[in-house]
Amino acid sequence: MRSLVLACAFAVSAASVLLELVGSPAWTLAPASHVGWVVLVWSAALTFAGFGERAWSALSSVAACLPVLALALGADLRSGDPWAEGSARALAALAVFAAWGVALERSARSELGARIGRTVWFVLALGVPALVAALEWGAADEAARAPVWLAFANEASPLAWSRELAARDLASGWRALPLAPLGAALLLFAVATRLARKERA
Amino acid sequence: MNLALLVCAALAAEAHATETHATDASRLRIAELAATGPLASATLDFGGAGRATLLLDLAAGESRTLNVPLPTREGFDALVPSVSDPRLRFVGWRPDAERERAFAALPLALRTRSAPPPPARSLAPSLAALTLVVAGVLFVSRVRANRARALLVGALTAVAVLSLELAFDAPPRTRIVLDFELGADGSVGDGVRWVSARDRLDLGVEPPLALAVEPAQTALDVRIDARGAGPARTTVLGTGALLGRADAAREAPPDRAGNRWGDLAAVWTRDEAGTWTEHGTWPFASPLPAALAGDRRPPGWINPALPQGRKLLIGLASEPEPGAASPGARPPGVPSLGVPSPGPEVWIRVTGP
């Protein structure tokens, strides 16, 4: 991740916690999840990560994200989140960010992989949630829902999952686990690894 | 004729209000559950109303029937939860006429007031934690070429930040308001005892007469600990929400002629014309102290939309040290309020005559 992108991600994500210093109900993120907001910002920053150039590696970016994620977890716990649930969600959020960072970094190792990685990121992470939002929020009928296949694809978007985490819209129990975003990242990683090996050979 | 119509309309409105508050206002209703062992825990999902987690310690062959408070919304009788374990059965909502009657018997003017806001709880991080975050990220930046070292520094910083945040975090505070309405002749009936907190409220073993939740659409997370032979303990969580339990307050409020309630750290009175007077501290068993010079008023949250043209008395009981079980230096023989620790603020509000 480029240093400037990382600095912006750090500043914007930390702002959600820093705004609490104002102490005004108009300037608080609660009842939204600070952890969800932090991982949403850091995941969105992957759009401009620029892996493969002279930049931070995915794992170093995760390392830089950890302190501000801990700060956000502290705010969530103070706002009433049970310790076990709050920690589990923070770990899940970190796993999503790390998995997509590593997968995109790996895809940058080959020319075709980089193209696939950028396309998958644009379509799955950004495009699908935008389309779902357009169909559901922009529809004249409040009960309008996106088609099932699109909603299914949306589940794999790390940004859509992070947004749901931030808004506390996630279902309870195991359904809150980011299985789809992690699975999609794993698939991209596997394809990118194969392409990188092929190109080296 | 017009007066008769007005009286009828008022009575009808009161009857409607009684029905509304007894059935719909509370976000908790008693329900019957039947559990068969072996069973350690199960959850009940009430959709948008929230969910409940039940902790049990039933061995194989054991069974238990529980009457516990569960989250509801308007139209609760049609709400049937999905249960995570077939060994736990939702029998149904239990009509609780006694509890509804007790709530309906409270003065309408008191039970239709909104729950008092709990003391504000800051989510702001400590300066030490912020400094540590910045230092940690700068250090990660220095060692970022070595991924393992960067991850180690990031993880250690995160653990230190979280430890600092939790170590210096004050526990959520509870605010208790005892609200009384005096009759025209100065007589006093039952008052309403509000206990309010933000995010989390321990209900103990006794369900409240009503539980107010603000915002109303908050999905509640009800935790019920039914392990052991004793009655089940209930805790309600609603992240970011104001949670207020209402019960009957049966103690005598302080009387201007003589304070038989207990020590009060600060007292204000308002006359019919709306003029506030500060009286300072009011010791137990003494008449209301004379007015103090100055115009310090009680906090705004304690007197919102209170009826004009009537007298008011507002008192703040001595704030106990954190961990104390009851407020103030209560003389022997004066009944304790059974205040949950740690140290809630206790306020008294008397309206009329």
Side-chain angles (χ1 to χ4, degrees):
Chain A
M1 194 180 279
R2 295 186 182 100
S3 292
L4 180 62
V5 174
L6 188 134
C8 289
F10 174 77
V12 175
S13 59
S16 74
V17 187
L18 289 175
L19 281 176
E20 303 293 349
L21 288 169
V22 178
S24 161
W27 290 86
T28 179
L29 201 66
S33 162
H34 290 79
V35 164
W37 172 251
V38 166
V39 79
L40 177 63
V41 170
W42 281 79
S43 298
L46 287 174
T47 308
F48 310 103
F51 288 126
E53 301 167 23
R54 288 184 62 191
W56 289 56
S57 70
L59 289 180
S60 301
S61 307
V62 169
C65 174
L66 275 169
V68 72
L69 195 68
L71 204 61
L73 176 58
D76 277 1
L77 294 179
R78 272 200 302 278
S79 76
D81 274 6
W83 166 256
E85 272 181 34
S87 309
R89 286 180 179 187
L91 283 176
L94 189 69
V96 168
F97 172 59
W100 275 94
V102 169
L104 289 173
E105 186 180 50
R106 177 58 59 96
S107 71
R109 287 190 183 178
S110 67
E111 201 176 318
L112 181 59
R115 257 183 269 156
I116 291 175
R118 280 196 295 267
T119 307
V120 167
W121 181 259
F122 185 81
V123 171
L124 192 67
L126 306 176
V128 170
L131 191 54
V132 169
L135 289 172
E136 294 188 353
W137 300 352
D141 182 2
E142 277 186 15
R145 290 286 171 267
V148 176
W149 62 269
L150 199 58
F152 184 74
N154 192 40
E155 299 236 323
S157 166
L159 294 190
W161 183 84
S162 307
R163 190 207 67 79
E164 286 187 9
L165 177 65
R168 298 187 186 278
D169 284 344
L170 288 176
S172 57
W174 65 270
R175 281 175 293 182
L177 292 175
L179 297 178
L182 288 178
L186 192 64
L187 193 63
L188 176 63
F189 181 84
V191 171
T193 304
R194 195 177 172 87
L195 288 172
R197 275 192 198 141
K198 211 175 205 178
E199 199 168 283
R200 265 208 309 274
Chain B
M1 180 64 182
N2 285 345
L3 185 63
L5 282 173
L6 276 175
V7 171
C8 286
L11 287 174
E14 171 149 357
H16 175 71
T18 302
E19 188 181 310
T20 302
H21 282 272
T23 56
D24 297 336
S26 180
R27 285 292 310 277
L28 291 181
R29 298 282 302 177
I30 306 293
E32 187 175 328
L33 303 175
T36 310
L39 187 59
S41 71
T43 58
L44 299 103
D45 194 339
F46 292 84
R51 63 175 172 165
T53 306
L54 186 68
L55 296 178
L56 292 151
D57 51 3
L58 288 182
E62 284 183 326
S63 62
R64 187 172 173 184
T65 302
L66 294 150
N67 288 309
V68 288
L70 295 175
T72 67
R73 275 210 175 142
E74 202 171 340
F76 66 89
D77 41 0
L79 201 59
V80 177
S82 60
V83 186
S84 67
D85 195 309
R87 288 168 292 186
L88 181 71
R89 192 164 60 88
F90 178 80
V91 179
W93 299 103
R94 193 167 69 90
D96 196 345
E98 189 185 335
R99 195 168 292 278
E100 287 179 11
R101 265 201 306 275
F103 188 65
L106 297 174
L108 179 67
L110 297 185
R111 63 187 148 87
T112 50
R113 280 183 197 155
S114 51
R121 190 179 192 200
S122 173
L123 301 183
S126 63
L127 187 61
L130 282 176
T131 310
L132 199 55
V133 167
V134 174
V137 172
L138 288 175
F139 197 24
V140 168
S141 169
R142 280 186 67 88
V143 300
R144 69 178 193 259
N146 185 330
R147 293 172 190 182
R149 196 173 292 173
L151 275 175
L152 183 66
V153 171
L156 287 178
T157 310
V159 169
V161 166
L162 199 55
S163 306
L164 265 179
E165 285 290 88
L166 297 180
F168 292 104
D169 181 31
R173 295 195 65 192
T174 308
R175 178 175 277 158
I176 296 177
V177 174
L178 301 160
D179 211 355
F180 297 95
E181 180 92 7
L182 300 183
D185 57 350
S187 61
V188 57
D190 281 351
V192 173
R193 179 177 187 266
W194 284 105
V195 180
S196 60
R198 194 164 293 282
D199 307 317
R200 181 188 187 99
L201 186 60
D202 184 5
L203 300 179
V205 297
E206 185 65 31
L209 291 189
L211 180 79
V213 178
E214 183 66 39
Q217 67 271 22
T218 305
L220 295 180
D221 187 356
V222 178
R223 310 284 172 93
I224 301 161
D225 189 346
R227 290 173 293 189
R233 286 193 69 87
T234 306
T235 304
V236 179
L237 290 93
T239 304
L242 179 160
L243 306 165
R245 70 172 291 168
D247 292 286
R250 300 212 158 85
E251 52 268 71
D255 189 307
R256 291 173 193 233
N259 175 7
R260 295 189 55 76
W261 186 82
D263 291 343
L264 291 170
V267 176
W268 293 265
T269 55
R270 193 190 74 180
D271 61 19
E272 291 92 332
T275 308
W276 284 99
T277 306
E278 187 189 0
H279 297 270
T281 58
W282 190 5
F284 177 70
S286 62
L288 182 66
L292 296 180
D295 59 351
R296 201 165 70 98
R297 292 185 172 200
W301 64 262
I302 187 92
N303 59 345
L306 289 177
Q308 296 298 311
R310 299 188 67 189
K311 287 180 182 173
L312 275 178
L313 185 149
I314 285 174
L316 168 65
S318 308
E319 287 188 67
E321 294 299 315
S326 60
R330 191 173 299 280
V334 176
S336 163
L337 294 171
V339 175
S341 61
E345 280 181 24
V346 182
W347 291 81
I348 297 176
R349 184 164 63 185
V350 185
T351 310

